[in-house]
Amino acid sequence: MSGQREKLRFASGDTSCAAWHYPGSNGGCVIMAGGTSVTKEPASDLFAARFNDAGFAVLAFDYRRFGESGGAPRQVVRFGEQIADWQAAIACAAGLPDVDPDRISIWGFSLAGGHVFRVAADNPQLASAIAQTPLVDGRAVAPHAVRCMTPLALLRLFGRGVADALGSLVGRPPLLVPTAGARGTVASLTTPDAMDGDRALDPGHRYTDWEQTVAARIVLRLGGYRPGRHASRIRCPLLVVVCDQDQSALPGPAVQAAQNTTESEVVHLTGRHYAPFLEAHEDAVEAEITFLEKHLTRSHAASRRVLNGTD
């Protein structure tokens, strides 16, 4: 991990988001966030240090209601708020002294990888975007996730989700469930590779403040979240990293969404959902740094400004 990173906060909505800033040396910047309840350290440390070693600045942040960011009630995923947090992070990065605003990239995995599609579509000024094992189509993924649950666990999970949603209307605290669990348990995700997350993201159990829970109401909304539908509006180069044995986000929908963009690359890795943090880490890092070096260079950024008519 880089020893040079520094804490900062930026405003988003009516609160603020906490972030790590790794100062860079080449003007490029990668903004990073994790999936569902994954906070900035387990989500980004492994990749951020490598990006920073390659010369890029990094801004890794927590969504509001999670980690060190503000916002209450806690552990509640609201897609619109998280998209707004990305927008605020882009504005923050553009104002950092070591960052060229024309050379900003975004990076996310799992749920955040899905957000990347929407954020990239809304921000044509971005130099590039990376979506790693992204959840791009909840409607396509939900039936598989349901099949990975036992009937009783599914009934209890949806019951808790309904109770949580109704309770929120009268100001009750969120009803939380584990983000991942074994088949038969009441958890947000019980796919075969869901339990890989702990050893992939926190193998040394050093992130003692990472709360691996989420408000149960997410199960009522995730099936309708389809950020891949924004793919055709993406104008910046997009790298999509999929794992061919992914049982959580599924590779097929991500590959199909990438085909709907104007400029995309797809990298296939062998392994399950968290393979980029485990056995496929070096392959993932190499592909992503190569992509960043290609699209965050000064000459490439200048060429894109000319093509976009901003010079």
Side-chain angles (χ1 to χ4, degrees):
M1 190 190 312
S2 172
Q4 300 180 6
R5 69 181 185 178
E6 55 194 13
K7 285 268 183 77
L8 58 79
R9 303 187 75 87
F10 57 85
S12 186
D14 59 359
T15 187
S16 65
C17 292
W20 283 115
H21 169 223
Y22 297 69
S25 58
N26 63 16
C29 179
V30 186
I31 302 173
M32 308 181 71
T36 313
S37 66
V38 186
T39 52
K40 59 187 179 300
E41 292 85 5
S44 69
D45 278 358
L46 200 60
F47 283 84
R50 297 289 294 273
F51 295 161
N52 192 232
D53 288 344
F56 301 106
V58 173
L59 184 71
F61 72 95
D62 286 328
Y63 297 115
R64 70 184 86 173
R65 307 181 191 277
F66 290 91
E68 295 181 305
S69 291
R74 306 298 292 176
Q75 303 303 114
V76 176
V77 173
R78 294 179 178 171
F79 302 135
E81 285 185 349
Q82 294 191 349
I83 296 299
D85 293 343
W86 275 102
Q87 294 293 149
I90 292 171
C92 174
L96 293 173
D98 57 316
V99 174
D100 179 345
D102 293 317
R103 290 191 281 159
I104 293 176
S105 181
I106 57 175
W107 180 101
F109 78 93
S110 200
L111 179 58
H115 290 340
V116 161
F117 279 75
R118 170 66 186 273
V119 176
D122 290 345
N123 292 272
Q125 80 279 11
L126 289 172
S128 69
I130 299 174
Q132 181 176 286
T133 59
L135 176 62
V136 301
D137 190 344
R139 184 179 297 177
V141 171
H144 176 73
V146 167
R147 287 193 296 271
C148 292
M149 298 180 181
T150 63
L152 178 58
L154 177 63
L155 183 63
R156 293 176 62 194
L157 176 63
F158 272 86
R160 195 167 182 83
V162 170
D164 182 41
L166 293 176
S168 71
L169 299 178
V170 293
R172 291 177 181 168
L175 295 176
L176 304 179
V177 295
T179 308
R183 178 178 169 83
T185 62
V186 180
S188 176
L189 193 66
T190 59
T191 51
D193 51 3
M195 296 298 287
D196 293 345
D198 196 46
R199 69 185 181 93
L201 304 178
D202 190 17
H205 300 289
R206 59 194 176 100
Y207 302 122
T208 55
D209 294 331
W210 176 24
E211 186 174 346
Q212 299 184 52
T213 61
V214 65
R217 68 195 74 167
I218 191 174
V219 303
L220 306 179
R221 299 194 58 209
L222 204 56
Y225 188 53
R226 308 181 71 193
R229 293 181 298 173
H230 299 279
S232 63
R233 296 196 295 113
I234 297 175
R235 294 294 174 262
C236 70
L238 172 70
L239 176 66
V240 178
V241 179
V242 299
C243 294
D244 290 334
Q245 289 75 44
D246 190 339
Q247 294 292 302
S248 293
L250 304 183
V255 173
Q256 184 175 357
Q259 293 171 346
N260 293 328
T261 65
T262 58
E263 185 179 352
S264 65
E265 301 176 32
V266 177
V267 171
H268 289 262
L269 301 176
T270 299
R272 306 201 300 183
H273 187 62
Y274 291 100
F277 293 88
L278 296 166
E279 70 274 12
H281 179 61
E282 289 302 320
D283 290 337
V285 167
E286 181 179 348
E288 292 173 9
I289 290 178
T290 298
F291 178 81
L292 292 170
E293 289 176 340
K294 177 180 178 182
H295 296 290
L296 296 191
T297 62
R298 191 177 304 276
S299 59
H300 187 85
S303 297
R304 287 191 59 81
R305 289 199 302 272
V306 172
L307 289 172
N308 293 334
T310 55
D311 267 4

